[in-house]
């Protein structure tokens, strides 16, 4: 689904990441954790085609149109109603699908409100609906829940997990939050300046009841120690 | 209702001034209002008001027709901005009224030269404000447009235009005052209608009550224009969408 080979992204004053290779298979959910500044966001942007690679290659087997991204901030246009934000850039004929998605997110009744009239959690759900209305086969999530409180974050993780499963979407999630990475990713990658330094299969992902088990905390401790401090 | 108190304060101060000076050059407000009412009923001032309103609204429309694309393009494309902005900075501070004779030679002594003068006055601040508005659009919205593969026309419709719309209204509010002042001066040349002509004609004939009714009408025209701009802004940008 996604293949990066020896990829590098560099800016005028620094290199975001270099010599990076990654392969993500169809229907996989990959969580990428790493310290601030290790190039996680640049990696997602490079996959989405928002920034060019300075070296190496990135290939999306189903084309860039099959990919949708959800940003750290909701990035809803304040001057457009919720439904118009969801349908941003879409050709006519997707209104029913957009309303269905908003309904799934519990926001059907807010379709004609403006973003200003929504709570932080609701805004993020609209942003998710906007990413999903394009029927992506690859969904890139750039710390989309960082601004939410603990309760809303867990709720949104479950919403995303269920949508991703129901729609058969391949997922790449970049996050600071180790618990989120464990819940969302069937594979967890640890990213540092040297690339992927640790990788682990996670059979317990998308299981809410797993959140309070010893295995969950053991995995969290292991990832935290490998990360070496705060993410 | 929000205009009642300011109007009362102005009228009261006017009464005090008229009483203190006790001169025909500052007549009592009730004399002016009654003259204004009579002339409006008789229809003699309507043509003057209509001509001034026509010139200023057409000038605004002309100015925006050129300022919107200029500001948007300069704000969006740096290279173009490097060429356009120095020209704007060079011409903006010049007193445009100085060009009235040139405009009269180029565009005739009729309405067109006056309209173009107003348009030129509004154009510069509007173009600069719109350019700044485009520059200040958060990059995250433009990234969003790229991520969702928006076409250039969609970027303009969905992001650039709504983002600069409040700036357009602000620039109009800023320029209404100066436009009215310039309109007043320009209507003193080769004009038979317009509030500027009406005021100065009454002054020349020492009809001070008539002159003041023209001034009041000019002030009401300004108030009406501000109210119109506010109304259009509320219509175009609902509170919840700001």
């Amino acid at each position: 689904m996604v293949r990066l080979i020896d990829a590098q992204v560099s800016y005028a004053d620094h290199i975001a990441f270099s010599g990076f290779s990654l392969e993500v298979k169809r229907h996989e959910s990959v969580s990428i954790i790493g310290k601030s500044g290790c190039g996680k966001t640049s990696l997602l942007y490079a996959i989405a085609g928002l920034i060019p690679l300075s070296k190496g290659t990135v290939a999306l087997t189903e084309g860039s149109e099959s990919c949708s991204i959800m940003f750290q901030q909701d990035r809803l246009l304040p001057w457009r109603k919720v439904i118009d934000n969801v349908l941003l850039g879409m050709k006519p004929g997707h209104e029913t699908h957009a309303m269905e998605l908003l309904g799934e997110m519990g926001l059907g009744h807010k379709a004609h409100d403006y973003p200003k009239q929504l709570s932080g959690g609701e805004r993020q759900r609209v942003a998710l609906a906007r990413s999903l209305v394009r029927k992506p086969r690859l969904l890139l999530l750039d710390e989309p829940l960082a601004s939410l409180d603990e309760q809303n974050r867990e709720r949104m993780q479950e919403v995303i997990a269920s949508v991703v499963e129901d729609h058969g979407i391949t997922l790449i999630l970049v996050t600071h939050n180790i618990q989120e990475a464990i819940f969302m990713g069937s594979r967890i990658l640890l990213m540092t300046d040297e690339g992927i330094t640790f990788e682990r299969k996670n059979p317990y992902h998308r299981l809410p009841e797993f959140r309070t088990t010893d295995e969950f905390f053991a995995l969290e401790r292991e990832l935290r120690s490998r990360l070496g401090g705060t993410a | 209702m929000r205009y009642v108190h300011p109007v009362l304060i102005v009228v009261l101060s006017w009464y005090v001034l008229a009483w203190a000076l006790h001169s025909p050059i500052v007549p009592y407000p009730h004399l002016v209002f009654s003259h204004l009412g009579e002339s409006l009923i008789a229809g003699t001032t309507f043509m003057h008001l209509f001509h001034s309103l026509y010139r200023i609204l057409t000038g605004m429309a002309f100015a925006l027709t050129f300022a919107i694309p200029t500001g948007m393009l300069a704000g969006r494309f740096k290279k173009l901005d490097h060429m356009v902005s120095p020209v704007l900075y060079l011409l903006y501070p010049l007193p445009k009224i100085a060009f009235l004779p040139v405009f009269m030679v180029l565009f005739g002594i009729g309405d067109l030269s006056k309209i173009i003068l107003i348009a030129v006055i509004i154009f510069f601040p509007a173009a600069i404000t719109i350019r700044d508005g485009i520059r200040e659009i958060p990059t995250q919205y433009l990234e969003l447009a790229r991520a969702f593969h928006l076409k250039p026309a969609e970027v303009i419709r969905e992001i650039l235009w709504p983002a600069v719309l409040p700036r357009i209204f602000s620039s109009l509010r800023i320029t209404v005052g100066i436009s009215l002042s310039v309109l007043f001066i320009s209507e003193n040349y080769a004009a038979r209608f317009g509030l500027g002509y009406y005021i100065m004609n009454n002054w020349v004939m020492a009809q001070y009550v008539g002159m003041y009714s023209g001034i009041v009408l000019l002030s009401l025209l300004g108030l009406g224009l501000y109210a119109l701009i506010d109304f259009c802004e509320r219509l175009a940008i609902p509170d919840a969408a700001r």
Side-chain angles (χ1 to χ4, degrees), chain A residues 82-119:
Chain A
V82 164
I83 183 71
D84 299 324
N85 264 287
V86 173
L87 288 166
L88 182 70
M90 300 289 290
K91 291 194 179 90
H94 293 82
E95 293 80 1
T96 314
H97 184 213
M99 283 305 294
E100 280 169 10
L101 279 168
L102 284 172
E104 271 181 52
M105 309 278 164
L107 290 169
H109 61 296
K110 300 222 167 175
H112 297 284
D113 285 1
Y114 285 96
K116 195 179 169 184
Q117 297 166 301
L118 306 182
S119 69

Side-chain angles (χ1 to χ4, degrees), chain B residues 53-141:
Chain B
L53 189 64
Y54 162 72
R55 285 167 189 147
I56 207 148
L57 288 181
T58 318
M60 274 182 183
F62 257 126
L64 290 183
T65 306
F66 293 97
I68 290 170
T70 306
M72 285 181 108
L73 288 169
R76 195 82 179 90
F77 302 106
K78 264 190 182 165
K79 279 185 183 169
L80 190 72
D81 186 33
H82 289 323
M83 288 190 280
V84 170
S85 288
V87 180
L88 293 180
Y89 296 153
L90 196 70
L91 298 178
Y92 181 27
L94 293 177
K96 313 296 177 302
I97 190 74
F99 292 97
L100 182 58
V102 180
F103 291 154
M104 285 169 87
V105 170
L106 288 176
F107 305 111
I109 56 169
D111 276 346
L112 189 60
S113 55
K114 296 170 182 62
I115 288 167
I116 286 179
L117 180 68
I118 290 165
V120 169
I121 286 165
I122 298 176
F123 169 81
F124 288 96
I128 291 171
T129 312
I130 291 164
R131 181 205 62 185
D132 290 350
I134 293 284
R135 276 185 188 168
E136 285 165 22
I137 292 174
T139 49
Q140 57 172 10
Y141 293 142

Side-chain angles (χ1 to χ4, degrees), chain B residues 198-220:
Chain B
Y198 180 75
I199 291 166
M200 292 309 282
N201 193 45
N202 274 291
W203 175 65
V204 169
M205 294 195 290
Q207 290 173 350
Y208 298 119
V209 172
M211 181 185 90
Y212 274 91
S213 52
I215 293 172
V216 169
L217 214 50
L218 193 64
S219 166
L220 291 177

Side-chain angles (χ1 to χ4, degrees), chain A residues 182 200 210 213-225:
Chain A
I182 298 171
R200 160 144 196 187
F210 180 61
T213 61
D214 289 342
E215 291 92 331
F216 186 94
F217 293 120
L219 182 54
E220 186 189 354
R221 272 197 302 278
E222 184 187 354
L223 289 168
R224 201 174 292 283
S225 73

Side-chain angles (χ1 to χ4, degrees), chain A residues 103-145:
Chain A
E104 271 181 52
M105 309 278 164
L107 290 169
H109 61 296
K110 300 222 167 175
H112 297 284
D113 285 1
Y114 285 96
K116 195 179 169 184
Q117 297 166 301
L118 306 182
S119 69
E122 289 171 332
R123 292 171 64 103
Q124 287 295 41
R125 277 183 276 159
V126 175
L128 178 62
R130 182 181 59 192
S131 298
L132 294 174
V133 77
R134 282 139 236 281
K135 297 183 180 165
R137 284 180 286 279
L138 171 66
L139 182 62
L140 307 172
L141 304 180
D142 178 20
E143 303 194 43
L145 314 179

Side-chain angles (χ1 to χ4, degrees), chain B:
Chain B
M1 277 306 285
R2 63 183 170 141
Y3 296 120
V4 171
H5 286 104
V7 168
L8 278 179
I9 290 168
V10 170
V11 171
L12 205 64
S13 311
W14 185 357
Y15 263 113
V16 171
L17 192 69
W19 173 79
L21 291 178
H22 198 66
S23 156
I25 194 74
V26 185
Y28 282 101
H30 63 270
L31 298 175
V32 173
F33 293 137
S34 104
H35 178 272
L36 180 61
E38 282 164 17
S39 61
L40 281 173
I41 290 166
T44 49
T45 46
F46 261 123
M47 280 311 279
H48 298 290
L49 180 65
F50 170 77
H51 272 81
S52 293
L53 189 64
Y54 162 72
R55 285 167 189 147
I56 207 148
L57 288 181
T58 318
M60 274 182 183
F62 257 126
L64 290 183
T65 306
F66 293 97
I68 290 170
T70 306
M72 285 181 108
L73 288 169
R76 195 82 179 90
F77 302 106
K78 264 190 182 165
K79 279 185 183 169
L80 190 72
D81 186 33
H82 289 323
M83 288 190 280
V84 170
S85 288
V87 180
L88 293 180
Y89 296 153
L90 196 70
L91 298 178
Y92 181 27
L94 293 177
K96 313 296 177 302
I97 190 74
F99 292 97
L100 182 58
V102 180
F103 291 154
M104 285 169 87
V105 170
L106 288 176
F107 305 111
I109 56 169
D111 276 346
L112 189 60
S113 55
K114 296 170 182 62
I115 288 167
I116 286 179
L117 180 68
I118 290 165
V120 169
I121 286 165
I122 298 176
F123 169 81
F124 288 96
I128 291 171
T129 312
I130 291 164
R131 181 205 62 185
D132 290 350
I134 293 284
R135 276 185 188 168
E136 285 165 22
I137 292 174
T139 49
Q140 57 172 10
Y141 293 142
L142 300 171
E143 262 175 13
L144 180 78
R146 279 197 291 139
F148 291 150
H149 311 285
L150 263 63
K151 295 180 182 77
E154 289 172 329
V155 175
I156 292 172
R157 193 184 65 227
E158 300 291 339
I159 295 173
L160 305 185
W161 175 251
V164 295
L165 205 50
R167 300 289 194 127
I168 293 171
F169 286 111
S170 292
S171 67
L172 284 180
R173 261 191 294 270
I174 291 164
T175 49
V176 158
I178 185 80
S179 304
L180 282 173
S181 314
V182 171
L183 179 76
F184 169 79
I185 297 169
S186 69
E187 284 178 343
N188 281 288
Y189 298 95
R192 286 192 304 120
F193 291 105
L195 289 175
Y197 166 81
Y198 180 75
I199 291 166
M200 292 309 282
N201 193 45
N202 274 291
W203 175 65
V204 169
M205 294 195 290
Q207 290 173 350
Y208 298 119
V209 172
M211 181 185 90
Y212 274 91
S213 52
I215 293 172
V216 169
L217 214 50
L218 193 64
S219 166
L220 291 177
L221 176 64
L223 189 72
L225 286 169
Y226 280 117
L228 179 71
I229 294 167
D230 286 350
F231 174 74
C232 291
E233 186 174 20
R234 277 198 302 277
L235 211 63
I237 317 166
D239 275 347
R242 286 167 198 272

